[in-house]
Coordinates of all heavy atoms in Angstrom, one line a residue:
M169 N 0.8 -1.2 0.0 CA 0.0 0.0 0.0 C 0.9 1.2 0.0 O 1.8 1.4 0.9 CB -0.9 -0.1 1.2 CG -1.6 1.2 1.6 SD -2.7 1.1 3.0 CE -4.1 0.3 2.2
E170 N 0.7 2.1 -1.0 CA 1.5 3.3 -1.0 C 0.9 4.4 -0.1 O -0.3 4.8 -0.3 CB 1.6 3.9 -2.4 CG 2.5 5.1 -2.5 CD 2.7 5.7 -3.9 OE1 1.9 5.3 -4.8 OE2 3.6 6.5 -4.0
I171 N 1.6 4.7 0.9 CA 1.2 5.8 1.9 C 2.2 6.8 1.9 O 3.4 6.5 2.3 CB 0.9 5.2 3.3 CG1 -0.1 4.1 3.3 CG2 0.6 6.3 4.3 CD1 -1.5 4.6 3.0
T172 N 1.9 8.0 1.6 CA 2.8 9.1 1.6 C 2.1 10.4 2.2 O 0.9 10.4 2.3 CB 3.3 9.5 0.2 OG1 2.2 10.0 -0.6 CG2 3.9 8.3 -0.5
E173 N 2.9 11.3 2.5 CA 2.3 12.6 3.0 C 1.5 13.2 1.9 O 0.5 13.9 2.1 CB 3.4 13.5 3.5 CG 4.0 13.1 4.9 CD 5.0 14.1 5.4 OE1 4.9 15.3 5.1 OE2 5.8 13.6 6.2
K174 N 2.0 13.1 0.7 CA 1.3 13.7 -0.5 C -0.1 13.1 -0.7 O -1.0 13.8 -1.0 CB 2.2 13.5 -1.7 CG 1.7 14.2 -2.9 CD 2.6 14.1 -4.1 CE 2.1 14.8 -5.3 NZ 3.0 14.8 -6.4
N175 N -0.2 11.8 -0.6 CA -1.6 11.2 -0.9 C -2.4 11.1 0.4 O -3.6 10.7 0.4 CB -1.5 9.8 -1.6 CG -1.0 8.7 -0.7 OD1 -0.9 8.8 0.6 ND2 -0.7 7.5 -1.3
D176 N -1.8 11.4 1.6 CA -2.5 11.4 2.8 C -3.3 10.2 3.1 O -4.5 10.3 3.5 CB -3.4 12.7 2.9 CG -3.9 13.0 4.3 OD1 -3.2 12.6 5.3 OD2 -4.9 13.6 4.5
G177 N -2.8 9.0 2.8 CA -3.5 7.8 3.0 C -3.6 7.3 4.4 O -4.3 6.3 4.7
F178 N -3.0 8.0 5.4 CA -3.0 7.6 6.8 C -4.4 7.5 7.4 O -4.7 6.7 8.2 CB -2.1 8.5 7.6 CG -0.7 8.5 7.2 CD1 -0.2 9.5 6.4 CD2 0.2 7.5 7.6 CE1 1.2 9.5 6.0 CE2 1.5 7.4 7.2 CZ 2.0 8.4 6.4
F179 N -5.3 8.4 6.9 CA -6.7 8.5 7.4 C -7.5 7.2 7.2 O -8.4 7.0 7.9 CB -7.4 9.6 6.8 CG -7.9 9.4 5.4 CD1 -9.2 8.9 5.3 CD2 -7.2 9.6 4.3 CE1 -9.7 8.6 4.0 CE2 -7.6 9.3 3.1 CZ -8.9 8.8 2.9
I180 N -7.0 6.3 6.3 CA -7.8 5.1 6.1 C -7.8 4.2 7.3 O -8.8 3.5 7.6 CB -7.2 4.4 4.9 CG1 -7.4 5.2 3.6 CG2 -7.9 3.0 4.6 CD1 -6.6 4.7 2.4
G181 N -6.7 4.2 8.1 CA -6.7 3.5 9.3 C -5.8 2.2 9.3 O -5.7 1.6 10.4
F182 N -5.2 1.9 8.2 CA -4.3 0.7 8.2 C -3.0 1.1 9.0 O -2.7 2.3 9.1 CB -3.9 0.3 6.8 CG -5.0 -0.3 6.1 CD1 -5.8 0.4 5.2 CD2 -5.3 -1.7 6.2 CE1 -6.8 -0.2 4.5 CE2 -6.3 -2.3 5.5 CZ -7.1 -1.6 4.6
E183 N -2.3 0.1 9.6 CA -1.1 0.4 10.3 C 0.0 -0.4 9.7 O -0.1 -1.5 9.4 CB -1.3 -0.1 11.8 CG -2.3 0.7 12.5 CD -2.5 0.2 14.0 OE1 -1.5 0.3 14.7 OE2 -3.6 -0.2 14.3
D184 N 1.2 0.3 9.5 CA 2.3 -0.3 8.9 C 2.8 -1.5 9.7 O 2.9 -1.4 11.0 CB 3.5 0.8 8.8 CG 4.6 0.3 7.9 OD1 4.4 -0.6 7.1 OD2 5.7 0.8 8.1
N185 N 3.1 -2.6 9.1 CA 3.6 -3.8 9.6 C 2.6 -4.5 10.5 O 2.9 -5.5 11.2 CB 4.9 -3.6 10.4 CG 6.0 -3.5 9.4 OD1 6.1 -4.1 8.4 ND2 7.0 -2.6 9.8
K186 N 1.3 -4.0 10.6 CA 0.3 -4.6 11.4 C -0.9 -5.1 10.5 O -1.3 -6.2 10.5 CB -0.2 -3.7 12.5 CG 0.8 -3.5 13.6 CD 0.2 -2.7 14.7 CE 1.2 -2.5 15.8 NZ 0.7 -1.7 16.9
S187 N -1.3 -4.1 9.6 CA -2.4 -4.5 8.7 C -2.1 -4.1 7.3 O -3.0 -4.2 6.4 CB -3.7 -3.7 9.2 OG -3.5 -2.3 9.3
A188 N -0.9 -3.6 7.0 CA -0.4 -3.3 5.7 C 1.1 -3.1 5.7 O 1.7 -3.1 6.8 CB -1.1 -2.0 5.2
I189 N 1.7 -3.1 4.6 CA 3.1 -2.8 4.4 C 3.1 -1.5 3.6 O 2.8 -1.4 2.5 CB 3.8 -3.9 3.7 CG1 3.8 -5.2 4.5 CG2 5.3 -3.5 3.5 CD1 4.3 -6.4 3.8
F190 N 3.5 -0.4 4.3 CA 3.5 0.9 3.7 C 4.8 1.1 2.8 O 5.9 0.8 3.3 CB 3.5 2.0 4.7 CG 2.2 2.2 5.5 CD1 2.1 3.1 6.5 CD2 1.1 1.4 5.2 CE1 0.9 3.3 7.2 CE2 -0.1 1.5 6.0 CZ -0.2 2.5 6.9
I191 N 4.6 1.5 1.6 CA 5.7 1.8 0.7 C 5.6 3.2 0.2 O 4.5 3.8 0.2 CB 5.8 0.8 -0.5 CG1 4.5 0.9 -1.3 CG2 6.0 -0.6 0.0 CD1 4.6 0.2 -2.6
N192 N 6.7 3.8 -0.1 CA 6.7 5.1 -0.8 C 7.9 5.1 -1.7 O 8.7 4.1 -1.8 CB 6.7 6.2 0.3 CG 7.9 6.1 1.2 OD1 9.0 5.9 0.8 ND2 7.6 6.3 2.5
E193 N 8.2 6.2 -2.4 CA 9.2 6.2 -3.4 C 10.6 6.1 -2.7 O 11.6 5.8 -3.4 CB 9.1 7.5 -4.2 CG 9.2 8.8 -3.5 CD 8.9 10.0 -4.4 OE1 8.0 9.8 -5.3 OE2 9.5 11.0 -4.2
S194 N 10.7 6.4 -1.4 CA 12.1 6.3 -0.8 C 12.3 4.9 -0.2 O 13.5 4.6 0.1 CB 12.3 7.4 0.2 OG 11.4 7.2 1.3
N195 N 11.3 4.1 0.0 CA 11.5 2.8 0.7 C 11.1 1.6 -0.1 O 11.2 0.5 0.4 CB 10.9 2.8 2.1 CG 9.4 2.6 2.1 OD1 8.8 2.5 1.0 ND2 8.8 2.6 3.3
Y196 N 10.5 1.8 -1.2 CA 9.9 0.6 -1.9 C 10.9 -0.5 -2.2 O 10.5 -1.7 -2.1 CB 9.1 1.0 -3.1 CG 9.9 1.4 -4.3 CD1 10.2 0.5 -5.3 CD2 10.4 2.7 -4.5 CE1 11.0 0.8 -6.4 CE2 11.1 3.0 -5.6 CZ 11.4 2.1 -6.5 OH 12.2 2.4 -7.6
E197 N 12.1 -0.2 -2.6 CA 13.0 -1.2 -3.0 C 13.4 -2.0 -1.7 O 13.4 -3.3 -1.8 CB 14.3 -0.6 -3.5 CG 14.1 -0.1 -4.9 CD 15.4 0.4 -5.5 OE1 16.5 0.0 -5.1 OE2 15.3 1.3 -6.4
R198 N 13.6 -1.4 -0.6 CA 14.0 -2.0 0.6 C 12.8 -2.9 1.1 O 13.0 -4.0 1.5 CB 14.3 -1.0 1.7 CG 14.7 -1.6 3.1 CD 15.0 -0.6 4.1 NE 14.1 0.5 4.3 CZ 12.9 0.4 5.0 NH1 12.7 -0.8 5.6 NH2 12.1 1.4 5.1
R199 N 11.6 -2.3 1.1 CA 10.4 -3.1 1.6 C 10.1 -4.3 0.7 O 9.8 -5.4 1.3 CB 9.2 -2.2 1.6 CG 9.2 -1.0 2.6 CD 9.6 -1.3 4.0 NE 8.7 -2.2 4.7 CZ 7.7 -1.9 5.5 NH1 7.5 -0.6 5.7 NH2 7.0 -2.8 6.1
F200 N 10.2 -4.2 -0.6 CA 10.0 -5.4 -1.5 C 11.1 -6.4 -1.2 O 10.8 -7.6 -1.2 CB 10.0 -5.0 -2.9 CG 8.7 -4.3 -3.4 CD1 8.7 -3.2 -4.2 CD2 7.5 -4.8 -3.0 CE1 7.6 -2.5 -4.6 CE2 6.3 -4.2 -3.4 CZ 6.4 -3.1 -4.2
Q201 N 12.3 -6.0 -1.1 CA 13.4 -6.9 -0.9 C 13.2 -7.6 0.5 O 13.5 -8.8 0.6 CB 14.8 -6.2 -0.9 CG 15.9 -7.1 -1.1 CD 15.8 -7.9 -2.3 OE1 15.7 -7.4 -3.4 NE2 15.9 -9.2 -2.2
E202 N 12.7 -6.9 1.5 CA 12.5 -7.5 2.8 C 11.5 -8.7 2.6 O 11.8 -9.8 3.2 CB 11.9 -6.4 3.7 CG 11.6 -6.9 5.1 CD 10.9 -5.8 5.9 OE1 10.8 -4.6 5.5 OE2 10.6 -6.1 7.1
V203 N 10.5 -8.5 1.9 CA 9.5 -9.7 1.6 C 10.2 -10.8 0.8 O 10.1 -11.9 1.1 CB 8.2 -9.1 1.0 CG1 7.3 -10.3 0.6 CG2 7.5 -8.1 1.9
L204 N 10.8 -10.4 -0.3 CA 11.4 -11.4 -1.2 C 12.5 -12.2 -0.5 O 12.7 -13.4 -0.8 CB 12.0 -10.7 -2.4 CG 11.0 -10.1 -3.3 CD1 11.7 -9.3 -4.4 CD2 10.1 -11.1 -3.9
D205 N 13.2 -11.6 0.5 CA 14.3 -12.3 1.2 C 13.8 -13.3 2.2 O 14.5 -14.2 2.7 CB 15.2 -11.3 1.9 CG 16.1 -10.6 0.9 OD1 16.3 -11.0 -0.2 OD2 16.7 -9.5 1.3
D206 N 12.5 -13.2 2.5 CA 11.9 -14.0 3.6 C 10.5 -14.4 3.3 O 9.6 -14.1 4.1 CB 12.0 -13.3 4.9 CG 11.9 -14.2 6.1 OD1 11.8 -15.4 6.0 OD2 11.7 -13.7 7.3
V207 N 10.2 -14.9 2.1 CA 8.9 -15.2 1.6 C 8.1 -16.1 2.5 O 6.8 -16.0 2.5 CB 8.9 -15.7 0.2 CG1 9.3 -14.6 -0.8 CG2 9.6 -17.0 0.0
D208 N 8.7 -17.0 3.2 CA 8.0 -18.0 4.1 C 7.7 -17.5 5.5 O 7.2 -18.2 6.3 CB 8.8 -19.3 4.1 CG 8.8 -20.0 2.8 OD1 7.8 -19.9 2.0 OD2 9.9 -20.6 2.4
N209 N 8.1 -16.2 5.8 CA 7.9 -15.7 7.1 C 6.4 -15.6 7.4 O 5.6 -14.9 6.6 CB 8.5 -14.3 7.2 CG 8.6 -13.8 8.6 OD1 7.7 -14.1 9.4 ND2 9.6 -13.0 8.9
P210 N 5.8 -16.2 8.4 CA 4.4 -16.1 8.7 C 3.9 -14.7 9.0 O 2.7 -14.4 9.0 CB 4.2 -17.0 9.9 CG 5.6 -17.2 10.5 CD 6.6 -17.0 9.4
K211 N 4.9 -13.8 9.3 CA 4.5 -12.4 9.5 C 3.7 -11.8 8.3 O 2.7 -11.1 8.5 CB 5.8 -11.6 9.8 CG 5.6 -10.1 9.8 CD 6.8 -9.4 10.3 CE 7.6 -8.9 9.1 NZ 8.8 -8.0 9.5
W212 N 4.1 -12.2 7.1 CA 3.4 -11.6 5.9 C 1.9 -12.1 5.9 O 1.1 -11.3 5.6 CB 4.1 -12.0 4.6 CG 5.6 -11.8 4.7 CD1 6.6 -12.6 4.3 CD2 6.3 -10.6 5.1 NE1 7.8 -12.1 4.5 CE2 7.7 -10.8 5.0 CE3 5.9 -9.3 5.5 CZ2 8.6 -9.8 5.3 CZ3 6.8 -8.3 5.8 CH2 8.2 -8.6 5.7
E213 N 1.7 -13.3 6.2 CA 0.3 -13.8 6.2 C -0.5 -13.2 7.4 O -1.6 -12.8 7.2 CB 0.3 -15.3 6.4 CG -1.1 -15.9 6.3 CD -1.1 -17.4 6.3 OE1 0.0 -18.1 6.2 OE2 -2.2 -18.0 6.5
E214 N 0.2 -12.9 8.5 CA -0.5 -12.2 9.6 C -0.9 -10.8 9.2 O -2.0 -10.3 9.5 CB 0.4 -12.2 10.8 CG 0.6 -13.6 11.5 CD 1.7 -13.6 12.5 OE1 2.1 -12.6 13.0 OE2 2.2 -14.7 12.8
I215 N 0.0 -10.1 8.6 CA -0.3 -8.7 8.1 C -1.4 -8.7 7.1 O -2.4 -7.9 7.2 CB 1.0 -8.1 7.5 CG1 2.0 -7.8 8.6 CG2 0.6 -6.8 6.8 CD1 3.4 -7.4 8.1
A216 N -1.4 -9.7 6.2 CA -2.5 -9.8 5.2 C -3.8 -10.1 5.8 O -4.8 -9.5 5.5 CB -2.1 -10.8 4.1
K217 N -3.8 -11.0 6.8 CA -5.1 -11.4 7.4 C -5.6 -10.2 8.2 O -6.8 -9.9 8.2 CB -4.8 -12.6 8.4 CG -6.0 -13.0 9.1 CD -5.7 -14.2 10.0 CE -7.0 -14.6 10.8 NZ -6.7 -15.6 11.8
S218 N -4.7 -9.5 8.9 CA -5.1 -8.3 9.7 C -5.7 -7.2 8.8 O -6.7 -6.6 9.1 CB -4.0 -7.8 10.6 OG -4.3 -6.7 11.3
G219 N -5.0 -7.0 7.7 CA -5.5 -6.0 6.8 C -6.9 -6.4 6.2 O -7.7 -5.5 6.0
R220 N -7.0 -7.6 5.8 CA -8.3 -8.1 5.3 C -9.4 -7.9 6.3 O -10.5 -7.4 6.0 CB -8.2 -9.6 4.9 CG -9.4 -10.1 4.1 CD -9.2 -11.6 3.7 NE -7.9 -11.9 3.2 CZ -6.9 -12.6 3.8 NH1 -7.1 -13.0 5.1 NH2 -5.7 -12.8 3.3
E221 N -9.2 -8.3 7.6 CA -10.2 -8.2 8.6 C -10.5 -6.7 8.9 O -11.7 -6.4 9.0 CB -9.7 -8.8 9.9 CG -9.6 -10.3 9.9 CD -9.0 -11.0 11.1 OE1 -8.5 -10.2 12.0 OE2 -9.0 -12.2 11.1
Y222 N -9.5 -5.8 8.9 CA -9.8 -4.4 9.1 C -10.6 -3.9 7.9 O -11.6 -3.2 8.1 CB -8.5 -3.6 9.1 CG -8.7 -2.1 9.3 CD1 -9.1 -1.6 10.5 CD2 -8.6 -1.3 8.2 CE1 -9.3 -0.3 10.7 CE2 -8.9 0.0 8.3 CZ -9.3 0.6 9.6 OH -9.5 1.9 9.7
A223 N -10.3 -4.2 6.7 CA -11.0 -3.7 5.5 C -12.5 -4.2 5.6 O -13.4 -3.4 5.3 CB -10.3 -4.1 4.2
M224 N -12.7 -5.5 5.8 CA -14.0 -6.0 5.8 C -14.8 -5.4 7.0 O -16.1 -5.2 6.9 CB -14.0 -7.5 5.9 CG -13.3 -8.2 4.7 SD -14.1 -7.8 3.2 CE -15.6 -8.8 3.3
G225 N -14.2 -5.1 8.1 CA -14.9 -4.6 9.3 C -15.1 -3.2 9.3 O -16.1 -2.7 9.8
E226 N -14.2 -2.4 8.7 CA -14.3 -0.9 8.8 C -14.5 -0.2 7.5 O -15.0 0.9 7.5 CB -13.0 -0.4 9.4 CG -12.7 -0.9 10.8 CD -13.8 -0.5 11.8 OE1 -14.3 0.6 11.7 OE2 -14.1 -1.3 12.7
L227 N -14.2 -0.8 6.4 CA -14.3 -0.1 5.1 C -15.4 -0.8 4.3 O -15.1 -1.4 3.2 CB -13.0 -0.2 4.4 CG -11.8 0.4 5.2 CD1 -10.5 0.2 4.4 CD2 -12.0 1.9 5.5
N228 N -16.6 -0.7 4.7 CA -17.7 -1.4 4.1 C -18.9 -0.4 3.9 O -18.9 0.7 4.5 CB -18.1 -2.7 4.8 CG -18.5 -2.4 6.2 OD1 -19.4 -1.5 6.5 ND2 -17.9 -3.1 7.2
N229 N -19.9 -0.8 3.2 CA -21.1 0.1 3.0 C -21.8 0.4 4.3 O -22.3 1.6 4.4 CB -22.1 -0.6 2.0 CG -21.5 -0.6 0.6 OD1 -20.6 0.2 0.3 ND2 -22.1 -1.5 -0.2
D230 N -21.9 -0.5 5.2 CA -22.6 -0.2 6.5 C -21.9 1.0 7.2 O -22.6 1.9 7.7 CB -22.7 -1.4 7.4 CG -23.6 -2.5 6.8 OD1 -24.5 -2.2 6.0 OD2 -23.5 -3.6 7.2
K231 N -20.6 0.9 7.3 CA -19.8 2.0 8.0 C -20.0 3.3 7.2 O -20.1 4.3 7.8 CB -18.4 1.6 8.1 CG -18.1 0.4 9.0 CD -18.3 0.8 10.5 CE -17.9 -0.4 11.3 NZ -17.8 0.0 12.7
A232 N -20.0 3.2 5.9 CA -20.1 4.4 5.0 C -21.4 5.1 5.3 O -21.5 6.3 5.4 CB -19.9 4.1 3.6
V233 N -22.5 4.3 5.3 CA -23.8 4.9 5.5 C -23.9 5.5 6.9 O -24.5 6.6 7.1 CB -24.9 3.8 5.3 CG1 -26.3 4.3 5.8 CG2 -25.0 3.4 3.9
E234 N -23.4 4.8 7.9 CA -23.3 5.4 9.3 C -22.6 6.7 9.3 O -23.1 7.7 10.0 CB -22.6 4.4 10.2 CG -23.4 3.2 10.6 CD -22.6 2.2 11.4 OE1 -21.5 2.5 11.9 OE2 -23.0 1.0 11.5
K235 N -21.5 6.8 8.6 CA -20.8 8.1 8.5 C -21.6 9.2 7.8 O -21.6 10.3 8.2 CB -19.5 7.8 7.8 CG -18.4 8.8 8.1 CD -18.1 8.7 9.6 CE -16.7 9.2 9.8 NZ -16.4 9.5 11.2
I236 N -22.3 8.8 6.7 CA -23.1 9.8 6.0 C -24.2 10.3 6.9 O -24.5 11.5 7.0 CB -23.7 9.2 4.7 CG1 -22.6 9.0 3.7 CG2 -24.8 10.1 4.1 CD1 -23.0 8.1 2.5
I237 N -24.9 9.4 7.7 CA -25.9 9.8 8.6 C -25.3 10.7 9.7 O -26.0 11.7 10.0 CB -26.6 8.5 9.2 CG1 -27.4 7.8 8.2 CG2 -27.5 8.9 10.4 CD1 -27.9 6.4 8.6
E238 N -24.2 10.4 10.2 CA -23.5 11.2 11.2 C -23.3 12.7 10.6 O -23.5 13.6 11.3 CB -22.2 10.6 11.5 CG -21.4 11.3 12.6 CD -20.1 10.6 12.9 OE1 -20.0 9.4 12.9 OE2 -19.1 11.4 13.0
Y239 N -22.8 12.7 9.4 CA -22.6 14.1 8.8 C -23.9 14.8 8.6 O -23.9 16.0 8.8 CB -21.9 13.9 7.4 CG -20.4 13.4 7.5 CD1 -19.9 12.5 6.5 CD2 -19.6 13.8 8.5 CE1 -18.6 12.1 6.6 CE2 -18.3 13.3 8.6 CZ -17.8 12.5 7.6 OH -16.5 12.0 7.7
I240 N -24.9 14.1 8.1 CA -26.2 14.8 7.9 C -26.7 15.3 9.3 O -27.2 16.5 9.4 CB -27.2 13.8 7.3 CG1 -26.8 13.6 5.8 CG2 -28.6 14.4 7.4 CD1 -27.6 12.5 5.1
R241 N -26.6 14.5 10.3 CA -27.1 15.0 11.6 C -26.3 16.2 12.1 O -26.9 17.1 12.7 CB -27.0 13.9 12.7 CG -28.0 12.8 12.5 CD -28.0 11.8 13.6 NE -29.1 10.9 13.4 CZ -29.0 9.6 13.6 NH1 -27.9 9.0 14.1 NH2 -30.1 8.8 13.4
E242 N -25.0 16.3 11.8 CA -24.2 17.4 12.2 C -24.7 18.7 11.4 O -24.6 19.8 12.0 CB -22.7 17.2 11.9 CG -22.1 16.2 12.8 CD -20.6 15.9 12.5 OE1 -20.1 16.6 11.6 OE2 -20.1 14.9 13.1
L243 N -25.1 18.5 10.2 CA -25.6 19.6 9.4 C -26.9 20.2 9.8 O -27.2 21.3 9.6 CB -25.6 19.3 7.9 CG -24.3 19.0 7.2 CD1 -24.5 18.5 5.8 CD2 -23.5 20.3 7.2
L244 N -27.7 19.2 10.3 CA -29.1 19.7 10.8 C -28.9 20.3 12.2 O -29.4 21.1 12.7 CB -30.0 18.5 10.8 CG -30.2 17.8 9.5 CD1 -31.1 16.5 9.7 CD2 -30.9 18.7 8.5

């Protein structure tokens, strides 16, 4: 996942090395090499599973509708 100050992707809620692997133009070679050098490390599967669970639980239509309702209530 590319997270930089320019794209301001931090607000999404993923965490580096917990639910995603953050890359940017200054670290992508090192981060990719880290995975390639240790492809069988169970850490990668744990990060992927955590990211999937976060996305399914927090980045879904139900949560989006709740947020829209919250915004509408604030405007009223």
Side-chain angles (χ1 to χ4, degrees):
M169 165 176 281
E170 183 178 17
I171 300 290
T172 65
E173 288 184 26
K174 186 175 181 179
N175 74 10
D176 195 28
F178 297 99
F179 77 94
I180 298 171
F182 289 98
E183 295 179 60
D184 193 22
N185 286 324
K186 291 186 179 180
S187 54
I189 298 172
F190 291 179
I191 60 169
N192 58 46
E193 58 189 35
S194 66
N195 76 359
Y196 74 94
E197 288 182 25
R198 178 180 53 82
R199 297 305 302 263
F200 284 135
Q201 196 61 52
E202 182 182 353
V203 174
L204 292 174
D205 287 344
D206 196 11
V207 294
D208 293 324
N209 190 328
K211 172 172 94 170
W212 311 130
E213 186 174 347
E214 291 169 17
I215 292 171
K217 181 180 175 187
S218 179
R220 188 177 319 102
E221 288 173 357
Y222 178 78
M224 297 300 287
E226 298 298 323
L227 306 175
N228 59 54
N229 287 339
D230 291 339
K231 294 284 184 172
V233 170
E234 289 172 9
K235 204 61 154 162
I236 291 170
I237 291 170
E238 181 182 319
Y239 292 144
I240 291 171
R241 287 187 175 142
E242 288 175 12
L243 291 172
L244 298 176

